[in-house]
Amino acid sequence: MLLTISTTYQPATELGYLLHKNPARLQTFDLNFGQAHVFYPEATEQRCTAALLLDVDAVQLVRGKGNASSLDQYVNDRPYVASSFLSVALADVFGTALNGRCKQRPELVTTSLPLQAQIAVVPCLGGEAWLRRLFEPLGYTVEVVQHLLDELHPEWGLSPYFTVTLSAECRLSELLTHLYVLIPVLDNSKHYWIGDDEVNKLLMRGQGWLEKHPERRRIAYNYLRHKQSLTRDALERLVPEEEQNDDEASEIEAVDEQASEESKTTEAQFPPAAPVEAAQKQKKEKSVRLHEQRLLAALEVVRQRGAKRVLDLGCGEGRLLKKLLQEKSFEHILGLDVSYRALELAQKRLHLERMPSRQRERITLVHGALTYRDQRLEGYDAAFVIEVIEHMDQPRLRAFERVLFEFAHPQTVVITTPNAEYNVKYETLDAGKFRHQDHRFEWTRAQFQDWSQQLAERFGYQVQLSPIGPEDAEVGAPSQMGIFSRHESLDRSEVV
Ligand code: SAH
């Protein structure tokens, strides 16, 4: 199995420093499944190629396991194809480069270089299309050659084996990381090193790109060898961290901001030539006011109901929590989010560590997913779910509905979500696109109303809908709010 990495960066031999392997020498490394050899088929100032030749010992793989009962344990494609063994070898042999370190040429680590990687043979049952869907979103030009099953018998047709060449201007550590994660994703065969720790490895190596990859779900699923529970864990930790916190808010703000500008066309026709910074500041303030409007509308409803114990579900970085703490009438506040990073930011925003103990006792932050029953959510008067549902896959909403309305069962629930009809007002948003890349859906007013009404009926609540933000005569307001009130007279067992 051969992987080559080439560059035309000048002088190209700098690749030797980046990989920590001298172009003049052949080096061999012992691995527990065979050997890896590193050598340079070419090393000139103009072009330099490093080759990683993996010699997988198929016999050694089964030796000592006491279960080598079938021939295919000895005779298989493992020695000849790029598989998870290649990832292990990359981490072992090029670990420093993979981690983006180079003492001798530190500036090259952060430089985008013209790079090309060629994987001599990789199995891919998904074919060329799948190869492209994996690598093209990462900016690679992908060349693919599919091999015949047997060159002497072309009538037998094509094999699932490909030679793949990837070219891009990127950092070497990025290229190595993408190969490290995506080669095992292509290969459907059994992995020998899969374990719970793989979730952490995937999240660590995927940082900064996997969360944005359009195929991230499939990548996680394949990487984790189709283990549903691990995949779920990975996606729950991966997806939410990708966005919000600041990004989420600023996305919401950015689109709201544009809409609010548009709704004031006459005023805005001849704006005075304000300095750019001042204009940006003004915009920011306006957009913050719009997000505030959403939070304040929800808060007001719950305050008026006289709620004392409140939940902020999908609390993000704690914008609402901060307001809730300022209201003395809320005796206990619980913020929950699936993103650990969001909770850390919330903790910072609220200065939890410096908070006087009486105040500190009023608030609890918990890490959890709204799609799992959670006893910590029981016994509260009201729940806020602000711009959260659209981040969940629609089939999983069913679980969320039961978690909140059946098990947590607060008297009041306030849910807000974008109004998809309003998207036409956002000039920068292409038709059919969502406002945020992590949104799994965006509903029209009618869709939200249908969902809310069915939900209310099923769980014994009454619902009232209300627009949030500047209302347009045709498409309504940017955001919509459902206020659910529990029927007190009904016995829970009658309605669930
Ligand atoms: N309510 C906040 C944040 C909205 S962003 C505000 O209005 O400012 C959406 C938040 O929902 C993110 O913080 C995300 O991590 C969280 N989230 C998404 N899916 C979730 C789930 N299944 N369980 C818990 N939180 C979730």
Side-chain angles (χ1 to χ4, degrees):
M1 160 56 221
L2 189 68
L3 167 75
T4 58
I5 294 171
S6 311
T7 187
T8 48
Y9 172 82
Q10 317 256 310
T13 43
E14 297 285 87
L15 184 63
Y17 287 105
L18 275 173
L19 288 172
H20 291 248
K21 300 289 172 283
N22 184 342
R25 287 205 292 136
L26 160 72
Q27 294 185 55
T28 296
F29 303 84
D30 284 326
L31 305 165
N32 57 12
F33 49 83
Q35 285 191 318
H37 310 280
V38 178
F39 57 94
Y40 288 73
E42 59 182 335
T44 66
E45 301 266 298
Q46 285 69 43
R47 189 178 161 92
C48 183
T49 297
L52 173 68
L53 178 74
L54 205 57
D55 191 7
V56 175
D57 184 344
V59 174
Q60 165 138 359
L61 281 183
V62 284
R63 196 176 284 158
K65 291 198 179 149
N67 57 356
S69 50
S70 66
L71 188 63
D72 71 356
Q73 286 183 289
Y74 289 108
V75 183
N76 54 48
D77 68 2
R78 298 295 88 185
Y80 314 107
V81 302
S83 68
S84 51
F85 292 118
L86 180 61
S87 295
V88 176
L90 280 174
D92 265 29
V93 175
F94 295 141
T96 318
L98 179 69
N99 292 324
R101 289 199 304 269
C102 180
K103 268 201 191 129
Q104 281 166 299
R105 297 287 188 278
E107 71 289 353
L108 282 187
V109 167
T110 51
T111 307
S112 284
L113 311 171
L115 290 171
Q116 192 170 71
Q118 186 172 74
I119 313 163
V121 189
V122 66
C124 177
L125 290 174
E128 177 172 345
W130 178 229
L131 278 161
R132 293 193 180 281
R133 288 218 305 278
L134 282 180
F135 288 102
E136 284 178 349
L138 297 168
Y140 293 99
T141 304
V142 181
E143 286 165 66
V144 170
V145 176
Q146 187 168 9
H147 298 286
L148 289 170
L149 214 45
D150 189 327
E151 280 170 9
L152 298 178
H153 295 281
E155 71 280 9
W156 291 355
L158 292 165
S159 74
Y161 296 105
F162 294 81
T163 296
V164 178
T165 310
L166 307 168
S167 314
E169 287 256 342
C170 64
R171 297 197 298 265
L172 179 63
S173 60
E174 286 174 327
L175 172 66
L176 294 174
T177 303
H178 295 152
L179 293 172
Y180 177 92
V181 172
L182 295 179
I183 284 173
V185 165
L186 285 169
D187 176 25
N188 273 335
S189 300
K190 250 191 24 224
H191 233 289
Y192 83 108
W193 45 270
I194 197 76
D196 286 7
D197 186 38
E198 291 313 315
V199 175
N200 291 330
K201 262 192 215 162
L202 176 66
L203 295 180
M204 186 182 89
R205 295 286 176 212
Q207 217 170 23
W209 62 274
L210 185 54
E211 65 270 25
K212 296 183 217 116
H213 198 297
E215 296 292 346
R216 60 182 178 263
R217 278 182 195 80
R218 194 76 219 176
I219 292 172
Y221 186 60
N222 282 16
Y223 183 92
L224 298 166
R225 298 293 104 180
H226 305 177
K227 289 193 179 162
Q228 296 276 13
S229 60
L230 295 183
T231 307
R232 206 166 38 227
D233 182 19
L235 290 173
E236 251 156 27
R237 288 165 59 193
L238 175 78
V239 175
E241 279 192 28
E242 85 192 9
E243 21 85 11
Q244 70 267 317
N245 313 326
D246 279 333
D247 287 356
E248 167 77 12
S250 51
E251 285 255 0
I252 294 171
E253 285 159 8
V255 277
D256 283 349
E257 180 182 295
Q258 194 193 333
S260 77
E261 291 292 319
E262 281 160 16
S263 64
K264 297 174 148 196
T265 38
T266 42
E267 258 177 70
Q269 256 161 11
F270 303 105
V276 178
E277 273 170 39
Q280 278 172 345
K281 187 161 170 252
Q282 221 178 4
K283 269 190 169 186
K284 179 88 186 157
E285 278 165 7
K286 218 175 279 168
S287 64
V288 169
R289 278 208 300 273
L290 274 153
H291 191 57
E292 285 265 314
Q293 213 174 322
R294 214 183 251 118
L295 300 179
L296 292 177
L299 191 141
E300 192 48 29
V301 169
V302 171
R303 213 174 50 81
Q304 284 176 6
R305 304 280 164 108
K308 292 193 162 59
R309 294 171 55 79
V310 293
L311 297 164
D312 183 5
L313 305 177
C315 60
E317 61 171 81
R319 283 161 203 261
L320 179 62
L321 293 173
K322 193 161 183 184
K323 295 190 187 312
L324 295 174
L325 273 170
Q326 284 159 2
E327 284 287 331
K328 295 271 179 314
S329 59
F330 298 129
E331 291 170 7
H332 196 82
I333 302 152
L334 181 139
L336 172 140
D337 205 283
V338 76
S339 160
Y340 197 76
R341 190 168 127 67
L343 291 171
E344 282 177 340
L345 289 169
Q347 194 168 350
K348 256 197 216 149
R349 175 180 290 258
L350 302 170
H351 305 295
L352 279 197
E353 67 294 343
R354 296 193 255 127
M355 204 177 259
S357 61
R358 275 194 54 194
Q359 185 79 333
R360 180 69 191 82
E361 282 159 16
R362 285 176 63 215
I363 182 159
T364 312
L365 291 186
V366 299
H367 190 206
L370 284 170
T371 40
Y372 297 105
R373 183 176 182 176
D374 193 334
Q375 286 182 333
R376 294 172 299 185
L377 307 184
E378 290 170 21
Y380 283 81
D381 303 320
F384 296 92
V385 190
I386 309 296
E387 307 289 299
V388 175
I389 57 169
E390 63 278 6
H391 289 265
M392 294 187 224
D393 287 323
Q394 279 205 50
R396 302 190 74 199
L397 276 183
R398 298 293 283 190
F400 158 73
E401 292 160 12
R402 295 193 65 202
V403 167
L404 178 54
F405 288 89
E406 180 180 336
F407 300 117
H409 204 61
Q411 273 128 358
T412 306
V413 176
V414 180
I415 299 181
T416 74
T417 193
N419 162 21
E421 291 162 83
Y422 198 88
N423 289 357
V424 293
K425 305 274 289 175
Y426 302 134
E427 256 173 20
T428 52
L429 196 65
D430 293 337
K433 283 266 159 56
F434 294 145
R435 293 184 200 180
H436 189 268
Q437 60 175 4
D438 187 52
H439 286 179
R440 310 305 161 82
F441 61 87
E442 284 174 1
W443 280 336
T444 60
R445 284 169 292 176
Q447 284 172 312
F448 184 51
Q449 184 176 10
D450 279 357
W451 178 75
S452 302
Q453 274 168 354
Q454 284 180 26
L455 194 58
E457 266 167 43
R458 252 172 67 226
F459 295 103
Y461 282 72
Q462 208 175 21
V463 65
Q464 207 188 320
L465 298 168
S466 150
I468 301 178
E471 243 186 308
D472 177 88
E474 270 180 41
V475 296
S479 201
Q480 41 189 347
M481 172 164 69
I483 305 159
F484 297 79
S485 320
R486 198 170 74 190
H487 291 306
E488 289 310 326
S489 54
L490 285 176
D491 182 322
R492 274 177 73 177
S493 58
E494 285 172 34
V495 296
V496 172

